Amino acid sequence: MSKKTVFVQGAISSEFIAQSIAKHQGKHSIGAHNIFLGQVRADVHGETKVKAIEYTAYEEMANEKLDAIREKAFAKYDLVCMHIYHSLGVVEVGEVCLFVFVSATRRKQVYEATESIVNWIKEEVPIFGKEIFENEDYTWKVNTL
């Protein structure tokens, strides 16, 4: 399996997502797609609101973990293809920071695979989010499932 480009600088655009979907229309063995889009929320901590998250990663280690997740997903589920994209840098509230796109011949596989893949990313991949508040203070985000 070839190495995929996972990291995107800044937010993942709706145009990028639409182009990814369009590229799969010619793959006629696919009967189902499932997409997970992680979006930055305006969480409130105390009396201040999150305005953005700045993502950083140990890229080499993160890519190794993501390759392992890709291999685990293909071994466990009957997938035709899958793609993972994650933002690095600043992503504003309302923008997409994680895009997981899974395709298979049947719908049951894509639902189960997508949930597993997103959970594995949150649990295993060294990607860090610094929540930046409206008052410019910040805190490091703790991943939850």
Side-chain angles (χ1 to χ4, degrees):
M1 217 174 308
S2 64
K3 302 273 188 218
K4 300 281 186 177
T5 301
V6 174
F7 293 109
V8 174
Q9 276 303 317
I12 300 168
S13 71
S14 55
E15 293 81 13
F16 180 86
I17 296 164
Q19 288 169 1
S20 296
I21 295 166
K23 289 177 187 174
H24 288 75
Q25 291 175 328
K27 298 180 181 183
H28 298 159
S29 63
I30 295 172
H33 300 288
N34 198 26
I35 294 172
F36 174 84
L37 300 174
Q39 177 174 301
V40 175
R41 289 185 310 274
D43 285 348
V44 177
H45 295 274
E47 295 184 19
T48 187
K49 192 186 296 185
V50 172
K51 72 172 187 173
I53 297 178
E54 182 177 358
Y55 290 99
T56 56
Y58 293 121
E59 288 186 55
E60 187 175 331
M61 186 185 299
N63 278 313
E64 287 175 15
K65 292 284 189 183
L66 290 162
D67 285 341
I69 287 170
R70 189 176 287 105
E71 288 177 23
K72 186 166 36 172
F74 274 101
K76 184 171 181 172
Y77 302 102
D78 187 21
L79 302 178
V80 175
C81 24
M82 68 162 291
H83 304 278
I84 300 168
Y85 299 98
H86 199 293
S87 295
L88 290 179
V90 176
V91 181
E92 304 288 329
V93 164
E95 294 180 323
V96 174
C97 56
L98 175 60
F99 172 31
V100 176
F101 183 24
V102 180
S103 306
T105 55
R106 306 252 180 251
R107 72 180 177 274
K108 183 176 182 189
Q109 292 294 312
V110 296
Y111 293 135
E112 294 173 1
T114 303
E115 183 172 14
S116 293
I117 292 162
V118 171
N119 288 339
W120 294 333
I121 292 167
K122 293 250 181 204
E123 293 167 357
E124 301 172 20
V125 182
I127 298 172
F128 308 98
K130 181 168 72 173
E131 292 181 307
I132 302 167
F133 301 117
E134 290 174 332
N135 65 3
E136 299 305 322
D137 282 347
Y138 68 88
T139 189
W140 289 96
K141 186 167 178 47
V142 177
N143 279 337
T144 57
L145 296 182

